[in-house]
Amino acid sequence: MVPGVTDSGLYTDHYELTMAQGYWLDGQAERHACFDYFFRKAPFQGTYALFTGLSDLLDCLTAWHFDDQACAHLGTLGFDPDFIAFLADFRFQGELFAPPEGEVVFAGMPVIRVEGNLVETQLIETLLLNLCNYASLIATKAARLRQAAGPRLLLDFGLRRAPGLGGLQASKAAVLGGMDATSNVLAAMRYGLVSSGTQAHAWIQAHDDELSAFRHYARRYPSQCILLLDTYDTLRSGLPNAIRVAHELAADGHRLQGVRLDSGDLAYLSKVTRRRLDEEGLDYVKILASNQLDEYLIHSLLEQGAPIDAFGVGTRLVTGQPDAVLDGVYKLCQIDERPCLKLSENPEKIILPGRKQVFRWYDGQGRFYADGIQLADEAPATRLTHPRDPERHVDLTGYRCEPLLRPVMAQGIRLEPVASAQTIAAYARDRLACLAPEHRRFDNPHPYKVGISTALLQLRQTCVNAQRARLVP
Amino acid sequence: MVPGVTDSGLYTDHYELTMAQGYWLDGQAERHACFDYFFRKAPFQGTYALFTGLSDLLDCLTAWHFDDQACAHLGTLGFDPDFIAFLADFRFQGELFAPPEGEVVFAGMPVIRVEGNLVETQLIETLLLNLCNYASLIATKAARLRQAAGPRLLLDFGLRRAPGLGGLQASKAAVLGGMDATSNVLAAMRYGLVSSGTQAHAWIQAHDDELSAFRHYARRYPSQCILLLDTYDTLRSGLPNAIRVAHELAADGHRLQGVRLDSGDLAYLSKVTRRRLDEEGLDYVKILASNQLDEYLIHSLLEQGAPIDAFGVGTRLVTGQPDAVLDGVYKLCQIDERPCLKLSENPEKIILPGRKQVFRWYDGQGRFYADGIQLADEAPATRLTHPRDPERHVDLTGYRCEPLLRPVMAQGIRLEPVASAQTIAAYARDRLACLAPEHRRFDNPHPYKVGISTALLQLRQTCVNAQRARLVP
């Protein structure tokens, strides 16, 4: 939570305030509303997203308020003085239901259910989407990088290419999703992450020659020295100089930690580098690679047998390329006791009405078998229906299940202690391991089964029919 | 500037601190360094970028410091106590040279020249890149949207899909680049922007029926009512209900301001909507369109004759899709009196050494004719050479020119008053109008001429030769 920004009631879309004022002035403020946060398509042509941003969201909701400056600003915009006075005392006092941060979630299912009065639940829409969409996108990208890199070290180098202040959230989400460390020192301090880095070309250029630059760095950081090889020429300058410095370090009882390849053909260069290092008895020197990497390039490098021990990933991680967005939305699904929905020409965009729960079924090996979206007061189903094909079912007999949406905030109070980044990252890793490889592969992954209960199917049809009956013929 | 984040000395990459400590402990802190900020490729397959982020950068540099918590954190990371004591008193006291915010800039040219001691100029690298890369990307996208939309109203609706806190910077950059207003109320308050918005599907769903929802909204906001048509069915429900409410408003002496189309075929729907509104004597009701728009879709809609008066653009603006990144870098080009560079297999990545100035030449109509990168102490050239083809020249005889890099900070003090967003946006608009249409068109734009002076060409060759002579044969 960043004071003055994400704790500000003005960190929202103008229309949230216009609508909230409308409800409030019309005496509708105390109506009970239920909104769902969900996304329609998993990012990166995959099947899943890693849900993150929850802890930030809960912190921000706890602190969210309209200070004097905010109220004065709303006055200049013509908002009603009585409504502004109401906002001056406003605190979010609603309820949130969500899986733990780091959970594996799927398209179409409610990821957060928000309940409260109509004003407060409407006002927080933009804040919730802003915090959860981006964090979940980056964590999902990091999870894919981890899948490609296996046990190798993965470093987030993205702050310089990050979307401004979003870099703070990117680094955290990156570590929650699977990176080992980040270059972002502030994020590391705030969120208890490990920060790390090597050296820039400027260090080499600032010295009279590359060898002097390497020697100075090695003298200063003898036990954590990683030398950047490509300032002048990786094989004809950087590597020979690094080998010389490695021997000098060894003579003093130190070990050169690594070398970094930052341009050129990383598969070829890493193989030559490894061979020359090994010929020199420097088999302990690690090879770190960077330069416009993503999960596909890492996969390809390793498939080619590139002997790379660590990857630094920047731009394509923190921008979530190529998608650059998780399309999460926040939709009203019940008002007072009335389930409601929005229609659409596109059947995939018809929303699921009513207060809902999501159950996850597990197979005998503890792997995820299917997720079911149900009405909140239903017992777990024994059979689920495909959301867009009522003829397709999945039978759940013999599988155990548990609910995914647990209360995480009640009366505006956070219900759980803050988990450490390490705890969330470990949870994410464990949960991803429960998702079968066919749902995680990069090329044409097999869709994971997400169904809806018969009661929800019927409710949706009833609501759709009722709305359609009102259309002009 | 966001206290606790962008004024923190820890809002940087770990290696900046490691290198700075190395310089400082080695007695190199007081050496004079000159860095260039530039980008290698214009975004969106265009020829230019709109330079923004400068004002934020200057504010952050003025405030940038290492507080007690930051120093304590660096202690836990093993930084040297004397160096930490130095950082506790650190203030950036260097010089920056840059064009005004809102300037049209091109690939390869120094956009900011930073001079100062080696420690301070190295430390600010990440901060500068983080602030300028993203803001310039979004402003450039907004300029392209403006080009497509012509005089029509353009609204930034992106906060919900913005990259977390980066949404604050996105909204500002969007308006600097050409949007008329933003939905982001906090950004509007902080930066003096106009905020605006319409209504969400939830407003419609929360009422018993669409007509009641429209009526309530119109009663509450009779002079600024824009009705969202697609909750149930644009033509069979939204539009007939909106027409009815428009007549009711008219009976009370008000005019319905507009209707919003948010799904479906916007070209078709806008034509039908316009015709039916006009048939009802509601020719004053504006049509606003939104839903995954970008400059290409807006161009296509208008080419099809879609009678749309205003566009709301969200995701593809604030994520800078499809690029999602401006690849700006920060490279050391001179240390003390020694110009320096980095070599590369890729000739486009060989950097330009030395302290440099950029001149811009104008033709008789005041249009940009060519930009020239020169050494800082040279008089304006009479002839420029293509940076990668020494046989190609541009003759400047008879053209007037002016320098682009002007001092904007000296001894760590900002040299100019803060300009309003409107002033910067107007400057950007005026400067874009000086760029010939062939350089601005979306499809295969003609490259703008950026050349280098003979002296710079020779210096680069001398530096390249000197470095290559040192390579292992």
Side-chain angles (χ1 to χ4, degrees):
Chain A
M1 194 269 292
V2 174
V5 184
T6 50
D7 68 343
S8 167
L10 299 190
Y11 190 67
T12 193
D13 286 321
H14 192 107
Y15 79 176
E16 312 290 7
L17 292 159
T18 315
M19 288 189 287
Q21 173 171 269
Y23 294 136
W24 192 83
L25 291 175
D26 286 347
Q28 298 192 60
E30 291 305 316
R31 297 179 71 188
H32 185 267
C34 177
F35 281 87
D36 283 340
Y37 167 61
F38 63 97
F39 58 92
R40 293 200 174 101
K41 197 168 136 298
F44 313 123
Q45 304 193 301
T47 63
Y48 71 91
L50 259 195
F51 169 52
T52 60
L54 179 64
S55 188
D56 269 4
L57 173 65
L58 297 177
D59 280 355
C60 292
L61 287 177
T62 308
W64 220 56
H65 70 291
F66 294 82
D67 64 15
D68 292 347
Q69 191 191 8
C71 290
H73 181 70
L74 292 174
T76 68
L77 298 179
F79 279 85
D80 182 275
D82 291 336
F83 178 64
I84 294 174
F86 161 78
L87 289 181
D89 290 328
F90 174 85
R91 288 287 171 158
F92 179 77
Q93 296 187 311
E95 293 176 279
L96 267 70
F97 301 82
E101 188 156 1
E103 185 58 271
V104 175
V105 293
F106 301 96
M109 67 170 53
V111 176
I112 305 177
R113 185 175 93 220
V114 177
E115 296 193 56
N117 69 54
L118 186 52
V119 165
E120 66 189 353
T121 52
Q122 184 68 65
L123 277 176
I124 68 164
E125 174 182 24
T126 311
L127 176 74
L128 182 152
L129 293 172
N130 179 267
L131 294 177
C132 294
N133 279 337
Y134 180 61
S136 298
L137 178 78
I138 303 308
T140 308
K141 189 70 171 178
R144 293 167 63 88
L145 289 164
R146 170 55 64 204
Q147 181 175 330
R152 294 165 192 82
L153 199 68
L154 272 180
L155 309 173
D156 158 35
F157 284 175
L159 184 56
R160 62 189 53 204
R161 299 286 171 77
L165 290 155
L168 199 61
Q169 294 150 303
S171 298
K172 182 183 181 187
V175 172
L176 299 187
M179 309 299 283
D180 291 293
T182 177
S183 65
N184 183 341
V185 186
L186 186 67
M189 181 180 77
R190 287 176 71 114
Y191 304 121
L193 319 175
V194 175
S195 63
S196 74
T198 61
Q199 63 189 179
H201 298 115
W203 175 274
I204 319 296
Q205 294 174 254
H207 289 79
D208 290 340
D209 56 67
E210 190 179 56
L211 184 60
S212 312
F214 284 2
R215 279 181 173 150
H216 275 149
Y217 202 84
R219 191 179 62 208
R220 186 55 60 200
Y221 302 108
S223 61
Q224 37 188 314
C225 179
I226 297 175
L227 299 171
L228 176 60
L229 300 191
D230 75 327
T231 305
Y232 302 122
D233 190 303
T234 298
L235 297 181
R236 296 171 66 199
S237 179
L239 182 56
N241 283 328
I243 287 172
R244 197 156 156 187
V245 170
H247 287 311
E248 291 169 4
L249 272 174
D252 290 338
H254 294 291
R255 287 183 153 202
L256 178 65
Q257 193 182 353
V259 292
R260 174 153 79 107
L261 306 173
D262 190 40
S263 58
D265 187 313
L266 297 173
Y268 169 74
L269 291 175
S270 63
K271 287 176 189 176
V272 175
T273 299
R274 183 76 274 153
R275 194 178 65 236
R276 292 207 196 154
L277 287 169
D278 290 353
E279 286 166 1
E280 296 279 342
L282 300 169
D283 59 343
Y284 55 82
V285 176
K286 305 287 189 202
I287 297 177
L288 189 160
S290 52
N291 190 24
Q292 301 296 326
L293 295 176
D294 63 15
E295 65 269 43
Y296 300 103
L297 283 168
I298 290 174
H299 179 81
S300 164
L301 285 167
L302 296 175
E303 214 172 38
Q304 295 170 69
I308 296 171
D309 304 290
F311 296 95
V313 186
T315 306
R316 297 188 187 181
L317 168 59
V318 297
T319 59
Q321 274 174 329
D323 293 32
V325 73
L326 178 72
D327 71 343
V329 295
Y330 181 82
K331 294 292 179 189
L332 184 66
C333 53
Q334 181 154 320
I335 175 79
D336 298 326
E337 296 304 311
R338 177 169 65 82
C340 61
L341 48 60
K342 175 194 175 307
L343 295 181
S344 175
E345 286 180 18
N346 178 352
E348 296 194 21
K349 292 182 93 171
I350 296 176
I351 63 179
L352 294 169
R355 292 178 63 244
K356 295 179 290 297
Q357 177 58 277
V358 181
F359 288 94
R360 176 159 294 167
W361 278 265
Y362 297 84
D363 69 12
Q365 285 75 50
R367 283 205 170 151
F368 303 163
Y369 177 67
D371 283 16
I373 312 171
Q374 308 194 191
L375 294 174
D377 51 9
E378 277 187 271
T382 52
R383 197 172 86 141
L384 297 171
T385 302
H386 190 283
R388 285 179 301 284
D389 181 356
E391 303 304 313
R392 282 166 68 191
H393 304 285
V394 51
D395 183 6
L396 303 165
T397 314
Y399 294 91
R400 70 178 177 86
C401 76
E402 61 183 9
L404 282 190
L405 302 181
R406 308 151 323 124
V408 294
M409 174 168 269
Q411 297 182 293
I413 295 165
R414 186 179 177 136
L415 296 178
E416 305 184 19
V418 178
S420 73
Q422 287 69 31
T423 302
I424 299 171
Y427 183 76
R429 196 173 56 233
D430 291 348
R431 296 299 277 180
L432 279 166
C434 298
L435 185 65
E438 59 264 31
H439 304 305
R440 283 189 284 129
R441 69 174 177 239
F442 296 153
D443 295 327
N444 292 315
H446 187 65
Y448 178 76
K449 287 192 262 303
V450 177
I452 61 180
S453 68
T454 306
L456 179 56
L457 183 69
Q458 288 168 346
L459 177 65
R460 185 178 67 175
Q461 202 52 53
T462 305
C463 292
V464 167
N465 292 344
Q467 286 300 344
R468 287 201 174 136
R470 295 176 176 206
L471 299 182
V472 178
Chain B
M1 195 269 292
V2 174
V5 184
T6 50
D7 68 344
S8 167
L10 299 191
Y11 191 67
T12 193
D13 286 321
H14 192 108
Y15 80 175
E16 313 289 7
L17 293 158
T18 315
M19 288 189 287
Q21 173 172 270
Y23 294 136
W24 192 83
L25 292 174
D26 286 348
Q28 298 192 59
E30 290 306 315
R31 296 180 71 187
H32 185 267
C34 178
F35 281 86
D36 284 341
Y37 167 61
F38 63 97
F39 58 92
R40 294 200 174 102
K41 198 166 135 300
F44 313 123
Q45 304 193 301
T47 64
Y48 72 90
L50 259 195
F51 169 52
T52 60
L54 179 63
S55 187
D56 268 5
L57 173 65
L58 297 177
D59 279 354
C60 292
L61 287 177
T62 308
W64 219 55
H65 70 290
F66 294 83
D67 64 15
D68 292 348
Q69 191 191 8
C71 290
H73 181 69
L74 292 174
T76 67
L77 297 179
F79 280 85
D80 182 276
D82 291 337
F83 178 64
I84 294 174
F86 160 79
L87 289 181
D89 290 329
F90 174 85
R91 286 288 171 158
F92 180 76
Q93 296 187 311
E95 293 175 280
L96 267 70
F97 301 83
E101 188 154 2
E103 185 58 272
V104 175
V105 293
F106 301 96
M109 67 168 54
V111 176
I112 305 177
R113 186 174 93 220
V114 177
E115 297 193 55
N117 70 53
L118 186 52
V119 164
E120 66 189 353
T121 52
Q122 184 68 66
L123 276 176
I124 69 164
E125 173 182 25
T126 311
L127 176 73
L128 182 153
L129 293 172
N130 179 267
L131 294 177
C132 294
N133 279 337
Y134 180 60
S136 299
L137 178 78
I138 303 308
T140 307
K141 189 70 172 179
R144 293 167 63 86
L145 290 163
R146 169 55 63 203
Q147 180 174 331
R152 293 164 192 82
L153 198 68
L154 272 180
L155 308 173
D156 158 36
F157 284 174
L159 182 57
R160 63 190 54 205
R161 299 285 171 79
L165 289 156
L168 199 61
Q169 294 150 303
S171 297
K172 182 183 182 187
V175 172
L176 299 187
M179 309 299 283
D180 292 293
T182 177
S183 65
N184 182 340
V185 187
L186 186 67
M189 180 181 76
R190 288 176 69 116
Y191 305 121
L193 319 176
V194 175
S195 63
S196 74
T198 60
Q199 63 189 178
H201 298 115
W203 176 274
I204 319 296
Q205 293 173 254
H207 288 79
D208 289 340
D209 55 67
E210 192 178 55
L211 184 60
S212 313
F214 285 1
R215 279 180 173 150
H216 275 149
Y217 202 84
R219 191 179 63 208
R220 187 54 61 199
Y221 303 107
S223 61
Q224 38 188 315
C225 179
I226 297 176
L227 299 172
L228 176 60
L229 300 190
D230 75 327
T231 305
Y232 302 122
D233 189 303
T234 298
L235 298 181
R236 296 171 66 199
S237 179
L239 182 57
N241 283 329
I243 287 172
R244 197 158 157 186
V245 170
H247 288 312
E248 292 169 2
L249 272 174
D252 291 339
H254 294 290
R255 287 182 154 204
L256 178 65
Q257 193 182 354
V259 293
R260 173 152 79 105
L261 307 173
D262 190 41
S263 58
D265 187 315
L266 297 174
Y268 169 74
L269 291 175
S270 64
K271 287 176 191 177
V272 175
T273 299
R274 181 76 272 154
R275 194 178 66 234
R276 293 206 195 153
L277 287 170
D278 290 352
E279 287 166 0
E280 297 279 342
L282 301 168
D283 58 343
Y284 55 82
V285 176
K286 307 286 189 201
I287 298 178
L288 189 160
S290 53
N291 191 22
Q292 301 295 325
L293 295 176
D294 63 15
E295 65 270 45
Y296 300 102
L297 283 168
I298 290 174
H299 178 81
S300 163
L301 285 167
L302 296 176
E303 213 172 39
Q304 294 170 70
I308 297 170
D309 305 290
F311 296 95
V313 186
T315 307
R316 297 189 187 180
L317 168 59
V318 298
T319 59
Q321 276 175 326
D323 294 33
V325 74
L326 178 73
D327 71 343
V329 295
Y330 181 82
K331 292 293 178 187
L332 184 67
C333 53
Q334 182 154 320
I335 176 78
D336 298 327
E337 296 304 310
R338 176 170 65 81
C340 60
L341 48 60
K342 175 193 174 307
L343 296 181
S344 174
E345 285 180 17
N346 177 352
E348 297 193 22
K349 293 183 92 172
I350 295 176
I351 64 180
L352 294 169
R355 291 178 62 244
K356 294 178 291 294
Q357 176 57 276
V358 180
F359 288 95
R360 176 159 294 168
W361 277 265
Y362 297 85
D363 69 13
Q365 286 75 49
R367 282 206 171 148
F368 303 163
Y369 177 66
D371 283 15
I373 312 169
Q374 309 194 190
L375 294 174
D377 51 9
E378 278 187 89
T382 53
R383 197 173 87 141
L384 296 172
T385 302
H386 190 283
R388 284 179 302 283
D389 181 356
E391 303 304 315
R392 282 167 68 192
H393 304 286
V394 51
D395 184 6
L396 303 166
T397 313
Y399 295 90
R400 71 179 176 84
C401 76
E402 61 183 7
L404 282 190
L405 301 181
R406 308 150 324 122
V408 294
M409 175 168 268
Q411 296 182 292
I413 295 166
R414 187 178 175 135
L415 296 179
E416 305 183 20
V418 178
S420 73
Q422 288 69 30
T423 302
I424 299 170
Y427 183 76
R429 196 173 55 232
D430 292 348
R431 297 299 278 180
L432 280 166
C434 298
L435 185 64
E438 59 264 30
H439 303 306
R440 283 188 285 130
R441 69 174 177 240
F442 295 153
D443 294 328
N444 292 314
H446 187 64
Y448 178 77
K449 288 192 262 301
V450 177
I452 61 179
S453 68
T454 306
L456 180 55
L457 184 68
Q458 288 168 347
L459 176 65
R460 185 178 67 175
Q461 202 52 53
T462 305
C463 291
V464 168
N465 292 344
Q467 286 300 346
R468 287 202 174 136
R470 295 178 177 204
L471 299 182
V472 178

